[in-house]
Amino acid sequence: MTRSSLLLVAILTALLLSGCVPMKELQSERMVEFRESAAAGTLPFPVPPGTKVDSVTVHEPDSLLTVFFSREFSYDAFRPDNVRRIYSSVRSYFQEVFEDYRISVKTLNRQIEELIPNFFRADTASIDRSRLPRPDTTRPLPVTRNISKPFAPSRGLQSRNIVLWHSHGWYYDRREQRWMWQRPRLFQTVEDLVPMSFTLPYLIPMLENGGATVFVPRERDVQLHEVVVDNDDPGAAYLETGGFAHGGWTTGPEPAFASGTPPYADNTNPFRLGTARTIFSDTIPTASATWIPTLADSGEYAVTISYCSSPTSVRDARYTVFHLGGRTEFRVNQQIAGRTWVYLGTFRFAKGSNPATGRVVLTNASNEVGKVVSADATRFGGGMGVVARAGGTSGRPKFVEGARYYLQYAGMPDTLVYSLTRGRDDYTDDYLSRPEYANYLRGSPGGPNRDRSAAGLGVPVDLTLAFHTDAGITSNDTTIGTLSIFSTTGADTSDMFPDSVSRMASRDFADILQTQIVQDIRVLHDPTWQRRQLMDAARYAEARLPNVPGALLELLSHQNFLDMRYMLDPRFRFTVARSIYKGILRFLTFQHGIPAVVQPLPVSHFAAEFTKEGDLLLRWRPVEDPLEPTAVPKAYIVYTRIGNGGFDNGTLVRHPSYIVGGIKPGTIYSFAVTAVNDGGESMRGEILSVCSASRDAVTALIVNGFDRISGPDWIEGESFSGLLNFQDAGVGDRYTFNFTGSQYDYDPRSPFVTNDSPGHGASHAYNEGKVIGGNSFDYPALHGRSLLAAGLSFVS
């Protein structure tokens, strides 16, 4: 032992005899070296930038040495193996003097082993049960159930309610007296639309295919047309029949939706302008309400309904949507989620008024006899903005507007959800409204933070996710990468949710989510994708305000060119959406003790051909997911479209082939296939079509060789860098809505000045609010019509 070490031992021995001594008061060489190594990031374990040693204390009675790191140390992900390495390294620094002492390493005033998510703990005895939801024997039935689906998941997200919002949106700036984006137009898009291009086409369908109910505080339908059919509108095709044996239809006691006279002033709630109709339920349908829209164009329309809720409402209200693909039946739990828009599904309808293939019907049939069935408005499509500012609306589709405006249209209370600044600042109201929407859906005891006892809508929300693309830029040839934010303190500064679950559950989710995303991107796209901080940051309202577990995801940087090159590729967006879905799946199934099964990937090698007997043989192959051993198909669903109609509800088959009989000559049949397992249903793949012109007609084979989807071409140099839409604009997956306009600033040295003058990457605005068609994966039907007109049969 060196002379200085002997002196240190002597001093420590004398001081420790007197009790607890802070080591930071002892300026030993070893202590200084430890501090300097931590600050420099040269300890034998990874240390995030900015990490400091706040203090080291010794408690002699317990033989305990505690090292306190600054909050930056918590930004890393902790697992059992790296926690062991950290403890071993810390012990090696102090073992000369404190060989027999226990070691404790802390950050965020917690031992680092507490920061290991429950999901990653190998020892079940170490599970922190304060982070798990309390057993809920009174959990209500899901808001909606599609009973026409031929398959339901059992080890997925069934019965889970997720509130998901995708970034900012078009808003009115009162200071500048104009509508504008909340972020700059960069690299042909804007953050207000970027996360939406992950959620609408990919993530939300994946979650719903896994069994979840997803609530979105922004309009989710990109259909520009909208028709609302309501009992209060004398010009609407709303019809009632029967029910006289049970008193008939009557007007309910509570206010409900009416269109009124839009555009709506600041605090006008359309769900307080009208009435709803009610009737008592029966074992058989003795009464019905029907909504028939007159649509401006043929196309896909989201169908959303509204009703009034009460403890005496039925939990299985029977809605049927008649559409071009047939009829789809739903059971709706009217005891919850009343007096707002409730999404049923998206269906294809024909232009005009078509009662046979374009209506929604509600009957009074129920398994709960003598309870109340409520009928209010039904909405078809998303439409244009209807909230007024400075005498007019935004002039843009609802789906591009911020949450604050949709939530007003969706009947949320202004003082609790969407107008917390009392209309003085739409920007602030917009980001505050998103988490408060989740709280209002849930209600007491976790209601909106201005009144947590508010009853709300009774939806047992399980999780929230705020999806953004964080600003940041680097001159290096690297990505900015993925940041994950949570808050272990709520609006009331408590570290517990109102239902007494520890807010550390949010850290668990944020870690699982970030881990899944970074891991998958590194394998499939970029092996050097950056994992940024795992940050406890109460200053972010979207992390602090939700009264259920949740996270704020900053996936990438919309200011950084390399990040955006990835983002603009639909294949990257699919990967990330699947990663987020898997992160949510893993967190929620673990929370509720369910083995997680990941839904399969879309099938491949799809072929459709006639047999010698004149039937149709469909064949395909399952696709192995090398990242997910559970994502193995258990069965398949074959969807059928006849002529120009829509797809039906599907037929469940057990093997990767299917024989279709009864093919009618001269009729074009189209098919799509999905794979299913206990975790849910895959996304749809390509669509193939066939037609038998006649028994003797020659059959042509259509090879659907156009399978390209991609981002735009690009160039990168010291003085000229950007996207080359004029050379190759890329190909969208089915459709694209995030393209604002072509890039016009290609100088990497151009500085950011304002959102209107953002420097390098600045882009035009001529395409905002427009939906651009991409690869439909539906070309055999299109080309087949020409072959049929020439007298040929065809397969594909």
Side-chain angles (χ1 to χ4, degrees), residues 64-131:
L64 176 66
L65 181 145
T66 305
V67 179
F68 292 88
F69 282 100
S70 61
R71 66 191 302 271
E72 289 82 4
F73 190 57
S74 71
Y75 291 170
D76 263 351
F78 290 91
R79 302 290 184 268
D81 56 348
N82 68 345
V83 165
R84 284 191 294 268
R85 287 198 301 272
I86 291 169
Y87 271 100
S88 177
S89 299
V90 171
R91 178 172 293 281
S92 71
Y93 262 88
F94 299 102
Q95 65 183 356
E96 288 186 7
V97 179
F98 301 104
E99 183 176 1
D100 297 326
Y101 277 62
R102 292 183 297 115
I103 304 292
S104 176
V105 181
K106 289 190 172 185
T107 181
L108 297 180
N109 205 31
R110 297 176 183 271
Q111 292 180 303
I112 58 173
E113 52 266 43
E114 294 181 59
L115 302 184
I116 303 172
N118 277 339
F119 179 80
F120 292 111
R121 299 186 186 190
D123 181 8
T124 56
S126 68
I127 296 297
D128 180 359
R129 302 201 174 276
S130 72
R131 306 180 197 184

Side-chain angles (χ1 to χ4, degrees), residues 486-547:
F486 61 97
S487 179
T488 53
T489 56
D492 58 358
T493 71
S494 170
D495 62 358
M496 306 293 285
F497 290 112
D499 61 0
S500 300
V501 172
S502 169
R503 292 185 67 97
M504 284 294 291
S506 289
R507 181 186 167 94
D508 281 13
F509 172 52
D511 189 347
I512 293 168
L513 180 70
Q514 185 185 38
T515 300
Q516 189 71 65
I517 292 170
V518 173
Q519 175 181 294
D520 290 353
I521 292 176
R522 286 178 177 175
V523 172
L524 298 177
H525 297 276
D526 179 5
T528 63
W529 187 265
Q530 300 293 309
R531 177 170 186 153
R532 298 176 64 195
Q533 299 97 323
L534 178 60
M535 185 186 295
D536 188 352
R539 68 180 182 273
Y540 291 94
E542 292 170 285
R544 180 185 73 253
L545 295 181
N547 289 324

